[in-house]
Amino acid sequence: MLAQKTRYALRALLYLAEAEAGRSVQVADIAATQRVPRKYLELILLDLKKAGMVASRRGPGGGYILARRPDQISFAEVIRLMDGPLALVPCASLNFYARCADCHDEATCAIRRVMAQVRTEADRILSGTTLADAAAIETLAA
């Protein structure tokens, strides 16, 4: 299940993706339209800025913009940044692998095999879905 922080991050990024190209958006606007607590959103935006997904501008007309094009930011990248691994169990993770403490034989573990398949499919879908793709879906629904 996605953490609330991750959902807020995705909503903020989608809002920026749908904003007029090159126009900065103020935190207050994102918070109000996306129903995200402003202080919490500020922390999320700092994480996204450190990861190179957003940039900030100071002064009049300042705010946040996407640092990369919407078609260059995948859902998988955002989820991994905010939530960690896509895998449901640590032994099935590619980027955050850890052996399960209660595992008797990792090589024959059916749980690990099934969860690795789930991770692979989730990664395929989430890596293949960009902010641009999601923004297009929202535009069609409107």
Side-chain angles (χ1 to χ4, degrees):
M1 184 176 324
L2 284 181
Q4 187 67 46
K5 180 179 180 180
T6 305
R7 291 181 21 217
Y8 286 161
L10 287 166
R11 286 172 36 197
L13 288 166
L14 278 169
Y15 189 77
L16 293 173
E18 294 168 3
E20 182 182 326
R23 183 179 73 84
S24 297
V25 180
Q26 294 187 353
V27 175
D29 292 339
I30 301 170
T33 60
Q34 301 305 302
R35 297 187 190 109
V36 178
R38 182 180 174 150
K39 292 290 184 188
Y40 196 36
L41 179 59
E42 289 172 352
L43 297 173
I44 291 168
L45 289 168
L46 284 176
D47 287 342
L48 295 171
K49 184 178 177 180
K50 288 177 191 172
M53 292 183 206
V54 301
S56 61
R57 295 181 179 161
R58 300 184 120 186
Y64 283 89
I65 60 169
L66 289 180
R68 301 187 332 236
R69 293 190 337 243
D71 64 347
Q72 295 177 332
I73 301 173
S74 73
F75 269 46
E77 183 181 6
V78 178
I79 292 168
R80 283 187 178 111
L81 172 68
M82 305 307 286
D83 247 356
L86 298 178
L88 299 175
V89 293
C91 65
S93 179
L94 294 177
N95 298 320
F96 302 91
Y97 171 83
R99 184 177 174 86
C100 294
D102 61 344
C103 187
H104 301 292
D105 183 7
E106 196 173 79
T108 61
C109 180
I111 296 169
R112 179 175 190 262
R113 287 185 184 188
V114 171
M115 292 302 125
Q117 289 176 330
V118 170
R119 183 231 40 243
T120 299
E121 285 303 305
D123 182 49
R124 181 184 64 77
I125 294 165
L126 295 169
S127 292
T129 305
T130 66
L131 294 179
D133 298 327
I137 292 167
E138 286 192 347
T139 302
L140 289 174

